[in-house]
Amino acid sequence: MNITSKDYYESLRKGLTEFQWNKEFKCPFCWSKSYGNLEDVLDHAKIIVNDKREKPIEISKHRAVLKCIQNLDLQDKISGIPRDDDSIVWPWTVILSNIRVGLTDKDIEQRLQLDGVRPSKVVTVWNRGRQTEFAIVVLGKERNDHDTALKLERSFKEEYHGKKDYDSVKHRGHEFFGWMARVDDYEDHQLGNYLQDHTTLISNKEAEMNKDSNSRYNIDI
């Protein structure tokens, strides 16, 4: 039997699987992993769907997940799922933390390139003449830049090197932590100076509408 994305979608709509388990959120087809909110499940599904190396059956399953989460009627029926109204920094940007003092913009860019990431610009953050442990990685304005930012954020989370981990762990070792830049970074007293001069904030809805176009904003990066 050839099961299609539509079949998986119908099974989700009929309530045969759920996105929430206790206080955690899960992808119904990757039950071993837990996520902090529904948006994280959505990001996970987008990565699978856009990864050409994935098996067709996995892409079909996760297309169904995307469709279900994006369906507002279904979203309203899932009790306890918070609506995400956080704004996102645009052009698509990732914050790196736990940067060793002395690393230059070029050092960080070369390290990212070894992982297949080619940023538009890397800027180490300075405060009162001293280098901080943060760097701003501007990826760009295109859809693939958005997808790269999500993949980076997901990879950091899966290695327990995301933003929540950075905020909660006392002994961080020598590895980078990272996350996609959002409104709290934009308003941060260290990161905000650069972000407010060179980027803007857009809503999640605007992000979806403008992933393929840079026509709305005139920003020098």
Side-chain angles (χ1 to χ4, degrees), residues 48-78:
I48 298 296
V49 168
N50 291 319
D51 192 341
K52 295 180 180 179
R53 297 169 297 180
E54 286 289 348
K55 296 179 180 178
I57 189 172
E58 293 300 324
I59 293 176
S60 293
K61 289 177 180 178
H62 288 83
R63 278 201 182 115
V65 172
L66 282 178
K67 187 174 181 180
C68 281
I69 294 177
Q70 291 167 346
N71 184 310
L72 294 179
D73 290 336
L74 175 63
Q75 198 173 53
D76 289 337
K77 293 175 183 177
I78 303 175

Side-chain angles (χ1 to χ4, degrees), residues 91-94 119-123 136-140 194 199 221:
W92 316 116
T93 300
V94 168
S120 171
K121 182 177 289 188
V122 176
V123 180
I136 296 170
V137 180
V138 182
L139 293 167
Y194 180 88
T199 69
I221 61 169

Side-chain angles (χ1 to χ4, degrees), residues 92-154:
W92 316 116
T93 300
V94 168
I95 305 299
L96 295 181
S97 61
N98 205 38
I99 302 296
R100 177 171 55 83
V101 172
L103 283 181
T104 66
D105 301 352
K106 191 66 176 178
D107 293 332
I108 298 168
E109 182 177 356
Q110 289 176 345
R111 179 165 171 176
L112 289 169
Q113 287 175 346
L114 290 175
D115 293 329
V117 178
R118 298 189 177 278
S120 171
K121 182 177 289 188
V122 176
V123 180
T124 49
V125 178
W126 292 68
N127 185 27
R128 297 182 179 179
R130 294 184 178 182
Q131 185 178 354
T132 71
E133 60 176 327
F134 296 100
I136 296 170
V137 180
V138 182
L139 293 167
K141 304 177 180 181
E142 306 301 327
R143 184 184 187 93
N144 64 309
D145 300 316
H146 174 268
D147 294 342
T148 298
L150 287 178
K151 287 181 181 179
L152 275 173
E153 182 173 63
R154 172 59 56 211

Side-chain angles (χ1 to χ4, degrees), residues 166-184:
Y166 174 81
D167 290 336
S168 62
V169 175
K170 292 183 179 180
H171 304 290
R172 302 187 180 109
H174 302 290
E175 296 299 319
F176 289 171
F177 289 67
W179 55 87
M180 198 167 177
R182 293 181 171 83
V183 62
D184 51 343

